[in-house]
Amino acid sequence: MPPVTYCTNIHAGETLAETMDALAAHTLRVKAALLPHEPFPVGLRLSGRASLELAQDGAARRLGQWLAASGLCVTTVNAFPYGRFHDAPVKEAVYLPDWRDPERLGYTLRLAGALAGWLPEGATGSLSTVPVGFRRGFPEADMPQALANMRRALAALAAIEDRTGRVLRLSVEPEPGCLVETTEDMIALCDALDPDGTCRRHLAVCYDCCHQALQYEDPAASLARLAAAGVTVGHVQVSSALHLEGADLSRLSRFVEPVYLHQAVARLEDGSLLRFDDLHEALAASRPDVTSWRVHFHLPVFVRQLPECETTQPFLQEALPLFAKETPMEVETYTWSILPPDLKIADVAASIIREIAWVEEARSGSLDAPSSAY
């Protein structure tokens, strides 16, 4: 069972130098606390700018040497957020360039080439990616172009395996508001991309527990449907959403902020779901027939209860023991910089260490007591 890690999209940094500074300042501290004498896996986020720097002569090799010398290894790469991801409004720009754009393909393949050189012997690599694109502003007529680019990526990953023997997977990450947001959407995408099953070796899902909890999905049923459809889980991103019982969403108004999208999903009295692309849009809608709300705002996973609501931590406790033992898992509380001040109960490295310890317990099924409240 591989050790649980975390995704470095938690840290600000768009250049290769900034990325390495964050690894040195934070990741090595996490490693020292959790796995001091063995290689520590890191879920590495690299921006579009960093991927271009990495493609320069020898840069990927030098980074690989530094990682190895520091006791770090890489099997998962976050190839989702291309542009700036901290300290400025991101919102729906996080999905750009989407799979209609050749630059999404180029970015993915630059990172794939680097990951093939970093993979430990015998390991399989996973690159998370945009779930095709953001639904709003994406006409159906553009889908063939997006699918064609994704098929080119899959063909390139097959060529990398032929050339190097290294197996890499393009792991699509379903997300609310996108063209792929539910388990059924993911299965439909795989069928559209690979109807005869020839590319499934290199096509997978990046299973984000927060995103699937937002859809009110049952984790056991979701994972069973993926397995029955032949969809592999490339890696798991472990995170929680806000969960509020009742219709009064104003209780969550302090989570409105200008950097990230905070998609909101309401469950109505008839069992149907009502979706909003951002929290402020949901707050403007008055629906007395709502029985509960879930909001996309990642919180430290060891937290079950906030002053105004609960979290979707129970989804994690049910889901984590169900994944295959070899599936990589990484904590992804990238919202650290915009958490309300009273919710920052430690510095970022200390919080990551505590999150990873919680996930290790949950994955083994050994949690036997309610988790923390702020």
Side-chain angles (χ1 to χ4, degrees), residues 79-306:
F80 193 136
Y82 177 95
R84 188 170 181 176
F85 195 57
H86 287 275
D87 306 323
V90 176
K91 297 294 183 181
E92 60 264 37
V94 74
Y95 308 111
L96 298 175
D98 60 32
W99 275 103
R100 292 173 292 185
D101 192 326
E103 179 53 19
R104 172 59 61 175
L105 174 62
Y107 166 58
T108 303
L109 296 186
R110 290 192 295 272
L111 294 182
L115 178 57
W118 298 332
L119 268 183
E121 192 66 35
T124 297
S126 178
L127 300 105
S128 61
T129 192
V130 171
V132 185
F134 193 51
R135 191 180 302 277
R136 190 168 60 197
F138 195 117
E140 187 176 347
D142 288 353
M143 183 61 85
Q145 180 181 349
L147 294 178
N149 282 331
M150 296 182 83
R151 290 190 190 101
R152 291 184 185 104
L154 294 171
L157 297 185
I160 287 174
E161 182 181 8
D162 289 342
R163 187 173 67 252
T164 69
R166 301 301 179 93
V167 179
L168 304 180
R169 293 188 176 118
L170 182 70
S171 296
V172 177
E173 182 182 336
E175 182 157 335
C178 292
L179 289 155
V180 178
E181 57 180 347
T182 66
T183 296
E184 293 304 319
D185 290 341
M186 182 65 207
I187 293 168
L189 175 67
C190 288
D191 290 343
L193 280 171
D194 184 31
D196 56 5
T198 58
C199 298
R200 294 294 168 102
R201 182 171 176 81
H202 300 288
L203 178 61
V205 61
C206 173
Y207 198 98
D208 187 304
C209 295
C210 171
H211 299 169
Q212 301 319 119
L214 275 164
Q215 306 301 330
Y216 286 86
E217 293 193 349
D218 174 81
S222 167
L223 293 172
R225 282 288 295 123
L226 291 168
V231 180
T232 300
V233 178
H235 66 281
V236 180
Q237 290 182 335
V238 186
S239 52
S240 290
L242 299 166
H243 175 89
L244 176 69
E245 289 293 323
D248 185 13
L249 189 61
S250 66
R251 293 170 61 188
L252 302 186
S253 59
R254 70 169 173 152
F255 293 96
V256 174
E257 58 81 34
V259 177
Y260 302 111
L261 278 183
H262 299 292
Q263 298 94 326
V265 182
R267 173 173 270 173
L268 306 182
E269 290 173 353
D270 64 4
S272 63
L273 302 180
L274 182 63
R275 297 177 171 88
F276 298 87
D277 286 335
D278 209 348
L279 178 55
H280 72 274
E281 297 173 12
L283 283 163
S286 177
R287 290 294 299 252
D289 57 340
V290 171
T291 62
S292 66
W293 289 94
R294 290 183 176 178
V295 178
H296 183 206
F297 198 113
H298 292 199
L299 295 160
V301 297
F302 50 77
V303 174
R304 174 102 178 229
Q305 184 77 44
L306 298 174

Side-chain angles (χ1 to χ4, degrees), residues 29-62:
R29 181 178 163 195
V30 174
K31 171 189 163 43
L34 297 175
L35 210 63
H37 305 301
E38 299 175 42
F40 181 71
V42 56
L44 189 59
R45 186 256 165 166
L46 291 158
S47 71
R49 179 176 174 180
S51 76
L52 291 168
E53 295 175 5
L54 203 63
Q56 296 172 6
D57 186 40
R61 176 179 51 80
R62 289 191 297 274

